[in-house]
Amino acid sequence: MDISRRQLWVLAGLGLVPAGELMIGGRGSFIEHGHQVIDDMFAEYGSRDLAVTASTAGTHLRGLVALSDQRMTGRTRTELLALEARVGALRARALTDAGQVGSARDAITGVLARSARAGHRDVLAYAYAIRSAVELQTGQTAAALESARKAVAVSPNDPRGHLAAARAHAARSEADQAGSLIRTAERLVDAADAPMTGPPAPGAASRLGWARAAVDVYARIGDGDQARRVLDETVIAVPAQLREDTAQALGASYARTLATTDPDEGAHILHGTLVASMAMGTPARSVVERVDAFLLAAPRDHIAVYGLRSLRREVTAV
């Protein structure tokens, strides 16, 4: 491939090319190393501030795009597009989770175009599922369902599309359809023999990822028993060092079912989850939404609910 040495130095500065490769004149390893950098960023997703992740991914994306006017073979150009699509998907996911709807939409548009040109179906399906989440954030439930269906059409065996559709049906109070899609996604996870945990990357399914969506959907459609069952089974199944975090994450979804039956417990769960999310830097939009839903349904004069409402006031622009 013919990529200028100056451009390789730019990518080395971004961490996408090992600097040592430049010293020995190597030019072919930056694709492989670029995927490894992106894999590492996905693996660290849950432990990094969302704004930092989005910014870092954006920097990497700009470095890759800077190569687009260089002379290279068609195969190399396709591989470069795949890299751009993957890091763009990471950026879009972080922007979506941070509630930056406008920026997320722009990022998703780029990912859809690049993944389609590269023929990267996993990323294309991933992008449609993220777009569905953005549309749900803005109350566009019909559009969210359509985007989820496109994800399923692109990659029928990827549970993410089915889970996105389940969330859209739940938002439309279509409980039967939502529950059916959760079960379909579970069968796909079983058929793929997916690991219990894994990064939130395109094409990488995990049982924990399914459980997060399942508890959220069951809680939204008012099936507290099923939400609790999935929560308890998952907490037992994950590695011991992840049980506390898993109980907190899934509990935040389950807590909405406790707004009227046990507001003290629900407020306690959400208080801890919101504090943890704020400590990361940029609170996750999903956590804030669950807090808001709980506060809307819970008794206003309950002391624990009052404390949660006071903490929620500290969160702005999410």
Side-chain angles (χ1 to χ4, degrees):
M1 54 182 277
D2 294 317
I3 293 179
S4 73
R5 205 165 185 74
R6 182 181 66 81
Q7 293 288 359
L8 283 174
W9 277 112
V10 170
L11 290 174
L14 295 175
L16 287 173
V17 183
E21 291 295 320
L22 300 176
M23 298 304 168
I24 61 175
R27 296 191 177 196
S29 68
F30 88 94
I31 292 289
E32 180 181 351
H33 184 70
H35 281 299
Q36 185 59 58
V37 169
I38 297 167
D39 287 344
D40 291 345
M41 291 181 69
F42 271 116
E44 297 167 359
Y45 187 84
S47 61
R48 299 185 68 190
D49 176 54
L50 294 169
V52 172
T53 296
S55 177
T56 303
T59 299
H60 287 323
L61 178 59
R62 288 190 295 274
L64 292 168
V65 170
L67 295 175
S68 61
D69 61 350
Q70 300 297 303
R71 186 160 52 92
M72 63 186 76
T73 65
R75 178 179 178 181
T76 299
R77 191 170 298 280
T78 298
E79 291 174 338
L80 184 63
L81 273 171
L83 269 180
E84 293 175 10
R86 291 192 70 221
V87 77
L90 174 63
R91 178 171 179 264
R93 170 69 185 266
L95 290 169
T96 300
D97 287 348
Q100 297 182 30
V101 174
S103 297
R105 280 178 171 155
D106 291 342
I108 291 166
T109 299
V111 176
L112 289 171
R114 291 185 175 98
S115 55
R117 288 168 59 197
H120 205 314
R121 299 178 70 84
D122 286 344
V123 178
L124 188 59
Y126 189 87
Y128 277 126
I130 296 174
R131 190 171 79 176
S132 179
V134 171
E135 289 160 344
L136 280 183
Q137 288 182 7
T138 55
Q140 300 172 282
T141 59
L145 185 55
E146 180 61 24
S147 292
R149 285 171 174 165
K150 288 181 178 179
V152 173
V154 169
S155 187
N157 293 325
D158 188 335
R160 280 196 182 88
H162 300 276
L163 294 174
R167 283 189 163 111
H169 279 298
R172 294 161 63 88
S173 300
E174 296 166 350
D176 289 344
Q177 295 94 319
S180 176
L181 284 162
I182 287 295
R183 291 188 291 275
T184 297
E186 183 177 22
R187 287 193 294 272
L188 291 172
V189 168
D190 289 341
D193 195 21
M196 174 54 66
T197 62
S206 70
R207 293 203 62 83
L208 180 56
W210 170 83
R212 286 175 180 270
V215 173
D216 181 48
V217 168
Y218 283 134
R220 287 176 184 273
I221 63 178
D223 194 340
D225 290 342
Q226 282 285 62
R228 185 76 209 194
R229 177 188 65 79
V230 175
L231 188 160
D232 289 343
E233 290 177 356
T234 304
V235 170
I236 291 173
V238 297
Q241 67 271 24
L242 297 179
R243 285 175 185 164
E244 183 176 350
D245 288 345
T246 300
Q248 186 178 72
L250 272 61
S253 294
Y254 173 68
R256 76 164 59 217
T257 68
L258 303 175
T260 57
T261 60
D262 193 349
D264 189 69
E265 177 64 12
H268 174 73
I269 292 171
L270 287 168
H271 191 282
T273 304
L274 185 54
V275 166
S277 189
M278 292 169 67
M280 292 294 296
T282 304
R285 171 72 177 260
S286 60
V287 171
V288 176
E289 286 180 337
R290 285 162 188 151
V291 169
D292 288 345
F294 177 87
L295 291 175
L296 188 63
R300 295 183 61 85
D301 58 350
H302 193 286
I303 184 64
V305 175
Y306 179 82
L308 178 61
R309 183 172 288 107
S310 297
L311 179 65
R312 171 63 180 90
R313 293 193 188 103
E314 297 181 21
V315 180
T316 58
V318 175

